[in-house]
Amino acid sequence: MEIIYEDAEVLVAVKPAGVESEEARGLEPDMVNLVRKHLAVGGKGLPYVGLIRRLDKPVTGLMLFGKTPAAAAALSKELKAQKTEKRYRAIVLGKPAEKAGSFTDWILQDKKANLSRIVPAGTAEAKEARLRYRVLRSKFVAGKQVTEVEIELLTGRRHQVRVQFAAHGLPLIGDRKYGSTIAEQETLFCYGGLCLAATGLSFTQPKTKKKLSFTIEPPFKMNP
Protein backbone atom coordinates (compact mmCIF):
# COMPACT_ATOMS: atom_id res chain seq x y z
CA MET A 1 0.00 0.00 0.00
CA GLU A 2 1.24 3.46 -0.94
CA ILE A 3 -0.25 6.53 0.71
CA ILE A 4 -0.19 9.52 -1.61
CA TYR A 5 -2.21 12.04 0.42
CA GLU A 6 -3.38 12.39 4.00
CA ASP A 7 -4.83 15.15 6.16
CA ALA A 8 -6.99 15.23 9.30
CA GLU A 9 -10.14 14.13 7.44
CA VAL A 10 -9.16 12.03 4.42
CA LEU A 11 -6.59 9.56 3.18
CA VAL A 12 -5.83 8.54 -0.42
CA ALA A 13 -3.89 5.33 -1.02
CA VAL A 14 -2.92 3.10 -3.91
CA LYS A 15 -4.29 -0.42 -3.61
CA PRO A 16 -2.05 -3.16 -5.02
CA ALA A 17 -3.65 -5.72 -7.33
CA GLY A 18 -4.72 -8.85 -5.45
CA VAL A 19 -5.56 -7.07 -2.19
CA GLU A 20 -9.17 -6.85 -0.99
CA SER A 21 -10.69 -3.39 -0.55
CA GLU A 22 -12.99 -4.33 2.35
CA GLU A 23 -12.13 -6.23 5.51
CA ALA A 24 -11.22 -9.75 4.42
CA ARG A 25 -11.92 -12.99 6.20
CA GLY A 26 -8.96 -14.98 7.39
CA LEU A 27 -5.38 -13.82 7.23
CA GLU A 28 -5.34 -12.17 3.80
CA PRO A 29 -4.38 -8.47 3.79
CA ASP A 30 -7.05 -5.89 3.02
CA MET A 31 -6.99 -2.14 2.56
CA VAL A 32 -9.19 -1.27 5.54
CA ASN A 33 -6.89 -3.03 7.98
CA LEU A 34 -3.75 -1.76 6.25
CA VAL A 35 -5.01 1.81 6.62
CA ARG A 36 -6.12 1.13 10.20
CA LYS A 37 -2.65 -0.17 11.03
CA HIS A 38 -1.07 2.95 9.51
CA LEU A 39 -3.36 5.25 11.53
CA ALA A 40 -2.77 3.31 14.75
CA VAL A 41 0.96 4.09 14.80
CA GLY A 42 1.61 6.26 17.83
CA GLY A 43 -2.08 6.43 18.71
CA LYS A 44 -4.44 4.85 21.21
CA GLY A 45 -7.37 2.59 20.55
CA LEU A 46 -8.74 1.37 17.23
CA PRO A 47 -8.73 4.13 14.59
CA TYR A 48 -11.83 4.88 12.55
CA VAL A 49 -11.56 3.98 8.85
CA GLY A 50 -14.38 4.89 6.49
CA LEU A 51 -14.11 3.09 3.16
CA ILE A 52 -15.52 5.39 0.48
CA ARG A 53 -14.54 3.77 -2.77
CA ARG A 54 -13.90 0.05 -3.23
CA LEU A 55 -12.03 -1.59 -6.10
CA ASP A 56 -12.26 -5.18 -7.32
CA LYS A 57 -9.59 -7.43 -5.85
CA PRO A 58 -7.57 -7.78 -9.12
CA VAL A 59 -7.68 -4.02 -9.79
CA THR A 60 -4.94 -1.65 -8.66
CA GLY A 61 -5.35 2.08 -8.13
CA LEU A 62 -6.52 5.02 -6.08
CA MET A 63 -8.78 4.46 -3.08
CA LEU A 64 -10.38 7.04 -0.80
CA PHE A 65 -10.96 6.79 2.96
CA GLY A 66 -12.59 9.05 5.53
CA LYS A 67 -10.72 9.34 8.82
CA THR A 68 -13.75 10.53 10.80
CA PRO A 69 -17.45 9.58 10.63
CA ALA A 70 -18.35 13.11 9.52
CA ALA A 71 -15.78 13.11 6.74
CA ALA A 72 -16.84 9.65 5.58
CA ALA A 73 -20.49 10.72 5.49
CA ALA A 74 -19.70 13.81 3.41
CA LEU A 75 -17.51 11.86 0.98
CA SER A 76 -20.10 9.10 0.63
CA LYS A 77 -22.82 11.67 -0.06
CA GLU A 78 -20.69 13.23 -2.80
CA LEU A 79 -20.00 9.80 -4.30
CA LYS A 80 -23.69 8.85 -4.34
CA ALA A 81 -24.51 12.18 -5.98
CA GLN A 82 -22.04 11.20 -8.74
CA LYS A 83 -19.89 14.28 -8.09
CA THR A 84 -16.72 12.30 -7.39
CA GLU A 85 -14.63 12.05 -10.57
CA LYS A 86 -13.22 8.57 -11.22
CA ARG A 87 -10.91 7.73 -14.12
CA TYR A 88 -9.46 4.40 -15.17
CA ARG A 89 -7.02 3.06 -17.74
CA ALA A 90 -7.51 -0.33 -19.38
CA ILE A 91 -6.28 -2.46 -22.26
CA VAL A 92 -9.04 -4.25 -24.14
CA LEU A 93 -9.17 -6.91 -26.81
CA GLY A 94 -10.39 -5.30 -30.03
CA LYS A 95 -10.99 -1.64 -30.82
CA PRO A 96 -14.06 0.55 -30.21
CA ALA A 97 -15.81 1.80 -33.33
CA GLU A 98 -15.32 5.42 -32.23
CA LYS A 99 -12.26 7.24 -30.86
CA ALA A 100 -14.42 8.55 -28.02
CA GLY A 101 -17.82 7.39 -26.91
CA SER A 102 -20.01 6.21 -24.05
CA PHE A 103 -21.82 3.11 -22.81
CA THR A 104 -25.15 3.13 -21.00
CA ASP A 105 -26.44 -0.24 -19.84
CA TRP A 106 -28.44 -1.84 -17.05
CA ILE A 107 -26.49 -4.14 -14.75
CA LEU A 108 -27.86 -6.88 -12.52
CA GLN A 109 -25.61 -8.23 -9.80
CA ASP A 110 -25.55 -11.92 -8.91
CA LYS A 111 -24.06 -11.88 -5.42
CA LYS A 112 -23.94 -15.66 -5.06
CA ALA A 113 -21.88 -16.09 -8.24
CA ASN A 114 -19.96 -12.82 -7.70
CA LEU A 115 -20.89 -11.76 -11.23
CA SER A 116 -22.70 -8.90 -12.92
CA ARG A 117 -24.46 -9.00 -16.26
CA ILE A 118 -26.16 -6.66 -18.71
CA VAL A 119 -29.96 -6.95 -18.72
CA PRO A 120 -32.85 -5.09 -20.40
CA ALA A 121 -33.81 -1.70 -18.95
CA GLY A 122 -36.49 -2.07 -16.32
CA THR A 123 -35.33 -5.48 -15.09
CA ALA A 124 -36.10 -5.87 -11.39
CA GLU A 125 -33.17 -4.84 -9.13
CA ALA A 126 -31.02 -3.82 -12.13
CA LYS A 127 -29.17 -0.49 -11.94
CA GLU A 128 -28.18 1.93 -14.67
CA ALA A 129 -24.47 1.95 -15.51
CA ARG A 130 -22.84 4.79 -17.44
CA LEU A 131 -19.28 5.50 -18.52
CA ARG A 132 -17.35 7.47 -21.12
CA TYR A 133 -14.20 6.29 -22.87
CA ARG A 134 -11.42 7.64 -25.06
CA VAL A 135 -9.07 5.58 -27.23
CA LEU A 136 -5.40 6.30 -26.47
CA ARG A 137 -3.64 3.87 -28.82
CA SER A 138 -4.24 0.60 -30.65
CA LYS A 139 -2.01 -2.05 -32.22
CA PHE A 140 -1.86 -5.69 -33.26
CA VAL A 141 -0.14 -8.16 -30.96
CA ALA A 142 0.17 -11.88 -31.79
CA GLY A 143 -2.37 -11.36 -34.56
CA LYS A 144 -4.97 -9.76 -32.27
CA GLN A 145 -5.86 -6.07 -32.07
CA VAL A 146 -5.60 -4.56 -28.60
CA THR A 147 -6.46 -1.02 -27.50
CA GLU A 148 -5.57 1.14 -24.53
CA VAL A 149 -8.46 3.31 -23.33
CA GLU A 150 -9.04 5.98 -20.73
CA ILE A 151 -12.38 5.65 -18.92
CA GLU A 152 -14.46 8.09 -16.91
CA LEU A 153 -16.78 6.16 -14.64
CA LEU A 154 -20.07 8.04 -14.21
CA THR A 155 -21.73 5.47 -11.94
CA GLY A 156 -20.22 2.88 -9.62
CA ARG A 157 -21.64 -0.60 -10.16
CA ARG A 158 -19.90 -3.82 -9.17
CA HIS A 159 -17.52 -4.94 -11.95
CA GLN A 160 -18.96 -2.13 -14.09
CA VAL A 161 -16.00 -1.39 -16.38
CA ARG A 162 -15.29 -5.08 -16.86
CA VAL A 163 -18.83 -6.20 -17.64
CA GLN A 164 -19.72 -3.22 -19.85
CA PHE A 165 -16.68 -3.48 -22.09
CA ALA A 166 -17.10 -7.26 -22.33
CA ALA A 167 -20.78 -6.86 -23.24
CA HIS A 168 -19.80 -4.46 -26.04
CA GLY A 169 -17.36 -6.97 -27.50
CA LEU A 170 -14.23 -5.50 -25.90
CA PRO A 171 -13.20 -7.71 -22.95
CA LEU A 172 -10.36 -6.43 -20.79
CA ILE A 173 -7.06 -8.22 -21.28
CA GLY A 174 -6.53 -10.61 -18.38
CA ASP A 175 -10.18 -10.68 -17.30
CA ARG A 176 -10.96 -14.40 -17.29
CA LYS A 177 -14.23 -13.78 -15.44
CA TYR A 178 -15.65 -11.77 -18.33
CA GLY A 179 -14.23 -13.39 -21.43
CA SER A 180 -10.53 -12.71 -21.95
CA THR A 181 -8.50 -15.83 -22.81
CA ILE A 182 -5.61 -14.27 -24.74
CA ALA A 183 -2.57 -15.51 -22.86
CA GLU A 184 -0.02 -13.73 -25.09
CA GLN A 185 -1.44 -10.28 -24.40
CA GLU A 186 -1.87 -10.98 -20.70
CA THR A 187 1.77 -11.89 -20.34
CA LEU A 188 2.98 -8.95 -22.43
CA PHE A 189 0.98 -6.15 -20.84
CA CYS A 190 -0.25 -7.17 -17.43
CA TYR A 191 2.09 -9.96 -16.32
CA GLY A 192 -0.79 -12.41 -16.13
CA GLY A 193 -3.08 -10.01 -14.28
CA LEU A 194 -5.99 -7.74 -15.16
CA CYS A 195 -5.27 -4.72 -17.37
CA LEU A 196 -7.38 -2.26 -15.38
CA ALA A 197 -6.24 0.49 -13.01
CA ALA A 198 -8.02 3.32 -11.18
CA THR A 199 -5.71 6.15 -12.20
CA GLY A 200 -7.63 9.37 -11.49
CA LEU A 201 -9.65 10.63 -8.53
CA SER A 202 -11.14 14.05 -7.73
CA PHE A 203 -13.31 14.94 -4.74
CA THR A 204 -14.17 17.75 -2.34
CA GLN A 205 -12.27 17.91 0.94
CA PRO A 206 -15.08 17.69 3.54
CA LYS A 207 -13.83 20.44 5.85
CA THR A 208 -12.07 22.97 3.60
CA LYS A 209 -14.37 22.34 0.58
CA LYS A 210 -11.30 22.47 -1.62
CA LYS A 211 -11.27 20.29 -4.73
CA LEU A 212 -8.53 17.65 -4.51
CA SER A 213 -7.33 15.74 -7.58
CA PHE A 214 -4.88 12.86 -7.87
CA THR A 215 -3.45 10.97 -10.84
CA ILE A 216 -1.17 7.95 -11.08
CA GLU A 217 0.25 5.96 -13.97
CA PRO A 218 -1.05 2.39 -14.46
CA PRO A 219 1.38 -0.50 -13.90
CA PHE A 220 0.91 -1.51 -17.54
CA LYS A 221 1.67 0.44 -20.70
CA MET A 222 1.08 -0.19 -24.36
CA ASN A 223 3.74 1.40 -26.55
CA PRO A 224 2.60 3.02 -29.83
Side-chain angles (χ1 to χ4, degrees):
M1 180 185 70
E2 177 187 0
I3 296 172
I4 63 172
Y5 177 80
E6 183 179 3
D7 61 28
E9 286 77 36
V10 303
L11 182 146
V12 179
V14 179
K15 182 184 88 68
V19 175
E20 293 282 5
S21 294
E22 302 169 286
E23 291 189 77
R25 298 176 181 177
L27 301 177
E28 287 190 21
D30 64 79
M31 289 298 291
V32 169
N33 278 307
L34 289 173
V35 170
R36 184 174 288 135
K37 183 178 180 181
H38 162 76
L39 296 177
V41 175
K44 296 181 180 180
L46 194 65
Y48 176 85
V49 178
L51 173 62
I52 308 304
R53 179 201 191 186
R54 69 172 300 281
L55 297 175
D56 296 342
K57 185 175 181 179
V59 178
T60 184
L62 295 166
M63 288 189 65
L64 175 60
F65 299 87
K67 293 174 62 176
T68 68
L75 293 168
S76 295
K77 183 178 179 180
E78 183 179 58
L79 183 70
K80 289 180 180 178
Q82 300 177 9
K83 294 181 179 179
T84 304
E85 297 176 20
K86 301 164 287 181
R87 294 187 180 274
Y88 288 74
R89 290 270 284 279
I91 299 179
V92 303
L93 179 63
K95 183 181 180 182
E98 301 175 341
K99 290 184 178 180
S102 63
F103 295 150
T104 298
D105 301 289
W106 288 81
I107 288 181
L108 183 65
Q109 182 182 345
D110 184 341
K111 293 183 179 180
K112 289 184 178 180
N114 191 26
L115 287 168
S116 296
R117 65 179 187 273
I118 304 298
V119 295
T123 299
E125 299 185 10
K127 295 181 179 180
E128 186 182 36
R130 295 180 291 112
L131 62 78
R132 288 194 284 259
Y133 69 84
R134 179 171 65 93
V135 172
L136 300 178
R137 55 189 64 83
S138 188
K139 65 188 296 185
F140 282 87
V141 178
K144 300 287 185 178
Q145 189 169 25
V146 294
T147 304
E148 186 174 0
V149 293
E150 182 181 60
I151 302 156
E152 182 182 4
L153 199 62
L154 303 177
T155 55
R157 311 307 179 200
R158 191 173 184 86
H159 298 175
Q160 181 181 333
V161 172
R162 301 164 64 184
V163 71
Q164 280 194 280
F165 272 87
H168 288 270
L170 301 161
L172 273 61
I173 300 297
D175 195 354
R176 299 298 181 91
K177 186 182 286 287
Y178 292 104
S180 175
T181 57
I182 311 301
E184 297 91 340
Q185 285 84 353
E186 291 176 20
T187 302
L188 178 61
F189 296 119
C190 309
Y191 311 102
L194 176 64
C195 286
L196 177 63
T199 54
L201 178 65
S202 297
F203 60 92
T204 304
Q205 209 283 351
K207 188 173 183 179
T208 66
K209 307 305 180 184
K210 180 181 178 182
K211 193 74 171 181
L212 299 178
S213 298
F214 304 93
T215 304
I216 61 171
E217 288 295 315
F220 50 82
K221 186 175 182 180
M222 196 175 81
N223 295 324

